[in-house]
Amino acid sequence: MTVPTAHVYALGAALFALGVAGFLVRRNLLVVFLSLELMFNGAIVTLLGAARARATAEPSTFALFVIFLAAVEVSVGLALVIALFRLRRSVDSDAAASLRG
Amino acid sequence: MAEALFYALALTALYGAGNVIARRHALVAAVHLALTLFALSGIYLLLGSPLLAFLNLLVYAGAILVLFLFVIMLLDLRRDEPWPLDLRGKLGPAAAFVLGVEALALAFASGDGGEGPAYRETTDQSGEILFGQYLFPFEISGLLLLLGIVAVLVLARRGPRPAPPSSEGTAGVPEPMAQAHP
């Protein structure tokens, strides 16, 4: 396959940026976490683009660590969401505003 | 041929990603994330990393997404977030960030330029790197997973059981919720 590396990077950046946009704009905490997953995947695509550009398996092995991290992040994050839901009966991120100054 | 497939899969992934952040209901968003993940697995395959494509399907689309779906259905949300979204003061920073990241990526890519060589890695290579050079980080990430399990167990505990059984019905969520996530 002869796709320019720039296009692979652009796809990774677009996924990451869409994830950030969702993270900033949405209030539903579950969708916020889905946006986080988009960001992780953008990072993985970028790592794979680098692996191909340099013809070494190192960046794509590093991408495995991203997946490990995502698994831990999701389980802890969803546990927090459920804890918040028990407390406030809502998964709106505005429901957790007790510390607002 | 493979190029056309790459662009088609990239467009599918971006379409799914757009729907993840633009759909009102979390369930619809999660299903669109599944679409994105499947498309991305194809892209990983095309980029020459079959191991990552397989693990992406197994861990992301298999485990993480199912966890999301479980939680979304478990919470059974009655109150949705206000729709259409209140975007005042949010759209500007979000758009600025999106454009900034794209510009940065293109700047980096111009240094890497040209067409990527035909590249295909084997699981042997990944394994040697993972269990050789990155053995210590690998063990640490195992520890991180263990810590995650412990943290989730602590978070999922219902705390000291409230003494009066009468208050159970108003504030409580049904008992099975405590065991619903690993």
Side-chain angles (χ1 to χ4, degrees), chain B:
Chain B
M1 178 58 204
E3 290 81 12
L5 199 56
F6 174 84
Y7 290 114
L9 286 173
L11 282 181
T12 312
L14 288 177
Y15 166 80
N19 272 309
V20 168
I21 67 172
R23 288 307 190 99
R24 176 172 190 174
H25 296 291
L27 195 63
V28 182
V31 172
H32 276 98
L33 184 66
L35 175 69
T36 301
L37 290 174
F38 280 116
L40 282 179
S41 267
I43 284 179
Y44 298 163
L45 214 53
L46 286 178
L47 286 178
S49 185
L51 176 68
L52 206 62
F54 176 68
L55 280 180
N56 189 56
L57 278 185
L58 203 70
V59 178
Y60 250 114
I64 294 182
L65 210 67
V66 169
L67 195 64
F68 263 109
L69 291 177
F70 268 135
V71 170
I72 289 170
M73 292 181 180
L74 197 68
L75 293 186
D76 186 26
L77 302 173
R78 303 247 181 265
R79 272 185 308 170
D80 268 308
E81 62 190 318
W83 203 265
L85 285 169
D86 179 16
L87 290 178
R88 273 169 306 164
K90 292 176 190 160
L91 217 51
F97 190 89
V98 168
L99 292 178
V101 168
E102 281 295 339
L104 211 60
L106 290 181
F108 274 122
S110 62
D112 252 353
E115 307 204 324
Y119 169 66
R120 174 157 290 277
E121 71 192 34
T122 62
T123 311
D124 285 1
Q125 282 173 297
S126 295
E128 267 169 30
I129 293 175
L130 200 60
F131 292 107
Q133 190 179 357
Y134 284 119
L135 181 62
F136 187 62
F138 183 71
E139 296 293 338
I140 293 290
S141 56
L143 195 65
L144 185 70
L145 280 165
L146 180 67
L147 276 177
I149 294 172
V150 174
V152 168
L153 284 177
V154 170
L155 281 172
R157 271 173 56 128
R158 308 212 65 203
R161 192 163 288 280
S166 57
S167 68
E168 197 79 0
T170 54
V173 176
E175 189 65 38
M177 179 160 279
Q179 295 139 16
H181 41 92

Side-chain angles (χ1 to χ4, degrees), chain A residues 57-70:
Chain A
E58 224 172 284
S60 53
T61 309
F62 196 75
L64 290 180
F65 288 100
V66 177
I67 293 186
F68 294 158
L69 199 69

Side-chain angles (χ1 to χ4, degrees), chain A residues 41-54:
Chain A
N41 276 291
I44 293 176
V45 169
T46 309
L47 281 170
L48 280 188
R52 202 176 61 115
R54 288 163 178 68

Side-chain angles (χ1 to χ4, degrees), chain A residues 18-32:
Chain A
L18 278 172
V20 172
F23 187 87
L24 291 177
V25 164
R26 296 299 295 258
R27 292 271 72 90
N28 185 333
L29 274 176
L30 289 166
V31 181
V32 167

Side-chain angles (χ1 to χ4, degrees), chain A residues 13-94:
Chain A
L15 283 173
F16 187 86
L18 278 172
V20 172
F23 187 87
L24 291 177
V25 164
R26 296 299 295 258
R27 292 271 72 90
N28 185 333
L29 274 176
L30 289 166
V31 181
V32 167
F33 273 107
L34 289 175
S35 307
L36 264 177
E37 299 311 311
L38 284 181
M39 284 194 255
F40 277 123
N41 276 291
I44 293 176
V45 169
T46 309
L47 281 170
L48 280 188
R52 202 176 61 115
R54 288 163 178 68
T56 160
E58 224 172 284
S60 53
T61 309
F62 196 75
L64 290 180
F65 288 100
V66 177
I67 293 186
F68 294 158
L69 199 69
V72 178
E73 175 264 332
V74 161
S75 50
V76 175
L78 287 180
L80 282 170
V81 169
I82 289 183
L84 179 72
F85 183 78
R86 276 194 205 145
L87 210 61
R88 302 259 193 249
R89 309 300 298 164
S90 164
V91 292
D92 198 303
S93 59
D94 286 338

